[in-house]
Amino acid sequence: MKFAVPLIAFSVLSVFCCVGCKKNKDTAKAGSGKYEMVAGSWSQKDLVLAVSVKLGGQNIPEGTSIIALAPLLGPAGAYFTCTKNNVYNFNKDSTMQVEGCTDLILPVTGKEGTWRLDIYDAVLLLKSNAGEPDPHWINEVTDNTMKISITAAIPNVASVPLTLILEKK
């Protein structure tokens, strides 16, 4: 009998704890909303230097259009000018296609592959059809503008960090 009172008290407390700790079935992870912003069709607006560089003895500031500089790069400049009308399609089914030139700015992914957001939705993770990962930081994304970090290996010149600026179609 002397164990009955503590046992009853423990049972009552257990019931209150279970009722009070009822799990919320609607615990879906809150997303950043970036997926919906990225999904869609994007036109290339520009391709700019992500850092200041020295070219031909001149300092070229960060933010300068590499498309505008392309004639100074000789034959390598054609790799950039052919991208100026690119269209990037990030489909809701996580597939992606690029209409235009990708040899210099997306050599790993190429024209087709898959996409998803990674690392707290800060990285646009592209994958080639062969499954090779091609991650790119998203510097900014809004409903109508997206800026993505890329590195281009300019043949016979250098590797240069760039920002790909896209505009929603």
Side-chain angles (χ1 to χ4, degrees):
M1 188 70 178
K2 69 179 182 180
F3 293 112
V5 173
L7 186 57
I8 293 172
F10 178 74
S11 297
V12 170
L13 283 174
S14 296
V15 170
F16 282 126
C17 284
C18 290
V19 172
C21 297
K22 182 179 173 184
K23 288 187 177 180
N24 182 357
K25 291 181 182 178
D26 194 23
T27 58
K29 182 182 170 190
S32 68
K34 282 187 180 179
Y35 183 89
E36 292 77 17
M37 285 191 269
V38 171
S41 187
W42 298 83
S43 297
Q44 183 170 317
K45 185 175 178 184
D46 208 347
L47 190 58
V48 301
L49 294 170
V51 296
S52 297
V53 297
K54 199 168 219 168
L55 180 64
Q58 293 184 358
N59 289 326
I60 310 295
E62 172 185 342
T64 301
S65 173
I66 195 80
I67 303 293
L69 291 177
L72 302 174
L73 300 174
Y79 286 105
F80 293 108
T81 56
C82 79
T83 70
K84 68 181 178 180
N85 295 316
N86 278 8
V87 175
Y88 301 81
N89 299 296
F90 299 106
N91 305 311
K92 290 187 179 187
D93 68 356
S94 296
T95 60
M96 59 85 61
Q97 295 86 29
V98 179
E99 301 166 27
C101 301
T102 60
D103 293 341
L104 188 66
I105 58 174
L106 292 176
V108 174
T109 304
K111 292 185 183 248
E112 291 186 354
T114 60
W115 74 278
R116 71 180 175 95
L117 297 180
D118 200 19
I119 308 177
Y120 302 107
D121 294 350
V123 171
L124 178 64
L125 179 58
L126 306 177
K127 282 194 178 179
S128 69
N129 281 337
E132 292 179 75
D134 189 13
H136 301 277
W137 287 105
I138 299 173
N139 297 338
E140 177 185 326
V141 64
T142 66
D143 289 332
N144 55 10
T145 302
M146 183 163 47
K147 296 178 181 178
I148 303 168
S149 291
I150 63 170
T151 300
I154 306 168
N156 302 317
V157 180
S159 290
V160 61
L162 301 168
T163 301
L164 175 61
I165 302 173
L166 304 176
E167 191 170 66
K168 197 104 179 226
K169 288 181 81 171

